Amino acid sequence: MEHALSPATLTELRRRRAYPAVSVLTPTHRRGPDTAQDPVRLRNVVAEAKKQLEADPGVTRERRADVARQLDRALTEVDLTHVEDGLVIFAAPGEHQVWSLARSVPERVVLSDTFLTRNLVSAQAAERPFWVLSVSADRLTLWSGGVDRVTEDHSGGFPLARSRENFDAERQERIGDMPSTFRDEDTRHFLRDADTAMSRILRDDPRPLYVTGEHAALSLLDEIGTVTKDAVHVQHGGLTHGPADAVWQAIRPRHDAEARRDTASVARVLESARGHRAFAAGVDEVWRSAQEGRVRLLAVEENYRVTVRDDGDHLVPAESGDLDAREDIVDEIVEQCLDKGAQVRFVPDGALGEAHGVAGVLRY
């Protein structure tokens, strides 16, 4: 199952495909009694997708059989013991993908010539993804982080390693330099190459960066590199081999502090916008501003969900299952804003007060 949505992956998911491109969404549960519902619910929603394929006169017999096989293969890849809060299956002729999301999704089946990506985009923004680079003299490991975990990432050729044979211990001992591995020229070249590799990753997938390592390693990276100067430094060695949970526990206090700082900053910006009449609040007002491309900063409470329908002039409350109900309108707003260059920040529930779950700072 996939978790991390890079810009390149999103571009690939959004390209047009031979009809039908099927998107199957269902909420899932990490723990508790509701997990017993997940297998039945998943089978039922996939069965509904096959039923819609059968009933669609625009789908040839060959494509119907192909996509049905892709759905069956996707089902075999779902590990319900490791799901999060939502599951998305994409299937089209000759391909399929399974995505586990740390944000709930409405149950639905969509047949189109593109995959439905807005729930993935919103979940990725809510995850507040970041990078962690763990550094030692002979190995650098890259980790991809989210709300409550990190996992090793192999982008850019990471992990980068060099053999211990490269260390001239006899020479270092002879000239009294044994403790100063990070003054060795080979080490400097090694870390400079790593800095270059990390800069490419940040160019393709910009995220906040944390760097872990001993003081000497962090100092040398700052001296010779470019990308770590603005990173959050965590002086903790021995993490280049993980495990992932040890990396997460090492950076978690700093990560939580950064999240609190970001929430406070968002509150100040929203208050200033209110005073300058550049403020929108509530799902209807923010939705209209997002459609017009006027939102510069969007703030959303982490678990805010609302079902609405469009009456032609406004979004009005609706019940789940109502005709024309839009159960993932918040995800639509998030995707709209990101597509039009806005910043999106998820904040703790209740942080937006009278804004009722969602607020925006307007460009004009």
Side-chain angles (χ1 to χ4, degrees):
M1 295 189 293
E2 304 286 346
H3 294 272
L5 183 67
S6 70
T9 301
L10 180 59
T11 298
E12 165 61 20
L13 287 174
R14 283 176 164 173
R15 69 172 174 84
R16 293 197 176 278
R17 285 165 163 79
Y19 187 83
V22 181
S23 302
V24 178
L25 289 73
T26 185
T28 50
H29 305 86
R30 302 184 190 216
R31 60 188 69 87
D34 289 336
T35 58
Q37 304 172 8
D38 291 347
V40 175
R41 197 165 188 172
L42 178 58
R43 286 196 299 270
N44 287 345
V45 73
V46 170
E48 173 61 25
K50 292 180 178 179
K51 181 179 177 182
Q52 291 191 28
L53 285 170
E54 287 285 345
D56 192 330
V59 182
T60 65
R61 180 185 302 175
E62 292 77 17
R63 285 189 177 171
R64 183 181 303 122
D66 186 348
V67 176
R69 282 194 301 270
Q70 299 298 330
L71 288 169
D72 289 337
R73 290 171 183 167
L75 269 180
T76 66
E77 296 175 12
V78 175
D79 182 0
L80 287 173
T81 62
H82 292 97
V83 294
E84 298 166 285
D85 303 305
L87 192 70
V88 178
I89 294 175
F90 295 134
E95 62 173 321
H96 68 272
Q97 293 188 33
V98 180
W99 288 82
S100 178
L101 308 183
R103 183 167 167 83
S104 186
V105 298
E107 184 170 293
R108 64 173 10 162
V109 174
V110 178
L111 275 62
S112 182
D113 58 357
T114 59
F115 292 138
L116 184 68
T117 61
R118 61 174 171 256
N119 305 96
L120 270 69
V121 170
S122 183
Q124 180 78 350
E127 277 267 281
R128 298 189 290 272
F130 56 89
W131 296 115
V132 182
L133 184 64
S134 295
V135 182
S136 69
D138 61 340
R139 182 182 174 90
L140 289 95
T141 306
L142 181 65
W143 310 88
S144 177
V147 169
D148 58 1
R149 67 176 184 274
V150 301
T151 56
E152 187 171 355
D153 193 288
H154 299 287
S155 301
F158 283 95
L160 303 179
R162 60 174 180 154
S163 169
R164 281 282 178 180
E165 295 173 2
N166 291 338
F167 292 84
D168 189 348
E170 184 178 341
R171 172 186 172 278
Q172 291 177 343
E173 210 168 5
R174 188 170 61 248
I175 65 175
D177 200 31
M178 190 62 178
S180 303
T181 302
F182 291 98
R183 290 205 298 269
D184 179 83
E185 193 59 33
D186 287 342
T187 303
R188 296 174 69 90
H189 282 301
F190 177 60
L191 295 187
R192 192 176 289 116
D193 289 344
D195 180 81
T196 300
M198 192 69 229
S199 67
R200 294 194 196 100
I201 290 170
L202 289 171
R203 185 173 59 246
D204 294 338
D205 191 358
R207 305 183 190 179
L209 174 64
Y210 296 80
V211 185
T212 74
E214 297 175 1
H215 174 74
L218 301 180
S219 296
L220 180 56
L221 266 178
D222 277 355
E223 177 188 337
I224 66 175
T226 59
V227 300
T228 62
K229 287 184 172 63
D230 296 325
V232 177
H233 289 195
V234 179
Q235 289 190 28
H236 193 307
L239 295 176
T240 57
H241 289 279
D245 187 60
V247 178
W248 168 240
Q249 294 304 327
I251 70 152
R252 184 173 184 174
R254 296 295 301 275
H255 178 262
D256 290 348
E258 292 294 318
R260 289 192 296 271
R261 189 176 297 113
D262 188 56
T263 298
S265 174
V266 168
R268 288 193 297 271
V269 172
L270 289 173
E271 188 60 33
S272 174
R274 193 190 298 267
H276 290 86
R277 300 182 183 275
F279 179 77
V283 66
D284 181 47
E285 187 176 349
V286 172
W287 167 244
R288 285 186 279 116
S289 298
Q291 286 185 306
E292 296 165 0
R294 297 178 60 206
V295 179
R296 177 169 62 84
L297 170 69
L298 177 73
V300 185
E301 293 184 356
E302 289 169 347
N303 294 299
Y304 179 59
R305 291 285 185 183
V306 61
T307 300
V308 299
R309 60 179 176 82
D310 190 343
D311 70 358
D313 296 316
H314 297 281
L315 298 180
V316 296
E319 297 293 328
S320 178
D322 283 357
L323 184 66
D324 297 329
R326 298 163 80 160
E327 298 186 37
D328 51 357
I329 189 64
V330 177
D331 288 359
E332 289 188 51
I333 292 172
V334 170
E335 186 182 46
Q336 279 266 5
C337 289
L338 286 171
D339 282 351
K340 294 182 178 179
Q343 298 179 58
V344 174
R345 296 287 187 271
F346 280 80
V347 298
D349 293 345
L352 298 181
E354 295 179 358
H356 304 296
V358 60
V361 177
L362 305 182
R363 292 190 172 101
Y364 57 88

